[in-house]
Amino acid sequence: MCQKCACVESIFTLTHPVRRRAKNVSVLTSLSLTFEGNQTMFLHAAVQMIGRGLVKHVNTLHTSCGRLTTDKVLLMKLRKSTGYSFINCKNALEKFNNDITQAEIWLTEQAQREGWIKARRLEGRQAGEGLIGLFTQDRSAVMVEVNSETDFVARNKIFQQLVTNAALTALDHHQNIIDTQGYTKHELSTQDLLKLSMNKGSSLAELLALTIGCLGENLSVRRAVCLTVPPDWLIGTYVHGEVGCAQADIDMGRYGALVVFQGECSLGRKLAQHVVGEAPITLGNMEEQSCSQSETRFLSQTLLWEPSLTVSQFLRQQNAQVFDFMRFQCGEGRA
């Protein structure tokens, strides 16, 4: 029911306590739709339908509707900034007399509390969907997997913000502990990730609980890999099954790969595409020959875009070399 209807309905209920409220809501909502944009006609029609006993309240009613219009603006602003439901935002504004700052703080605290409860209740549910997030910065890169129960939630901007925060937090942790100019790689498990603190002091575990409370699904920050390469090495990246998301600096999709190499910069994306498509398990070496189509050694595999060559043969032609690779597939290994 719209706010104008609620205003009229509250007076109607006081004046006619024996009438059924459900019927009042239906009638008033219909009126609101009929006279959308014309407050004066709406009020006149409402008063006529309620009865002459309410005529003396018209001035009060008209005055209060101006305040309710402002409340609606605050309500939409709060919903946009927090992502919480209409009814929760409405309750928060009512609780704090339209103080939007206090309402937002209260909503966050409630969602955090509900999130921990939901997280414990939902932790046994399968979370095999989600996204791979991939981000590069100078000579460093991070790839993270965050899981959800459904693909629908994975496309939600709140979930994608969790992926972004997980990636940036993991990379920040990695950059704070590296003490060499050489090649450094850190692999982080769920337990490792949830212990990390974000820039604002809260932990990634707290953000996860908050997101679970908001989205109502079991979620998991499953794993991450972070790496930094020497100045003369490069990082190739590729994400497959990309989703359109608001996180402009972070690529997200169902599959992701990182390749550490030397050579022309343009080779990086092609090599990472091969890793996603052919799913090698080990690196192998440049001297080994391909044994079969089920070859799992990266350097011995048939090249994805040129089947007449192996990866090692192609690299020789390009005077290039691969040192390492990582591949994530969303939900892989889940029962």
Side-chain angles (χ1 to χ4, degrees), residues 147-201:
N147 297 122
S148 61
E149 293 182 46
T150 65
D151 179 64
F152 176 78
V153 162
R155 295 177 180 276
N156 185 289
K157 66 178 182 179
I158 297 175
F159 178 84
Q160 292 172 6
Q161 186 61 54
L162 174 63
V163 177
T164 298
N165 285 326
L168 296 181
T169 300
L171 183 60
D172 185 60
H173 169 73
H174 166 78
Q175 292 176 331
N176 286 337
I177 63 175
I178 59 175
D179 57 0
T180 177
Q181 291 297 308
Y183 176 48
T184 307
K185 179 170 73 172
H186 289 110
E187 297 184 61
L188 302 171
S189 66
T190 297
Q191 290 74 22
D192 297 328
L193 288 164
L194 295 183
K195 292 176 183 176
L196 300 181
S197 295
M198 299 186 297
N199 290 334
K200 295 183 179 180

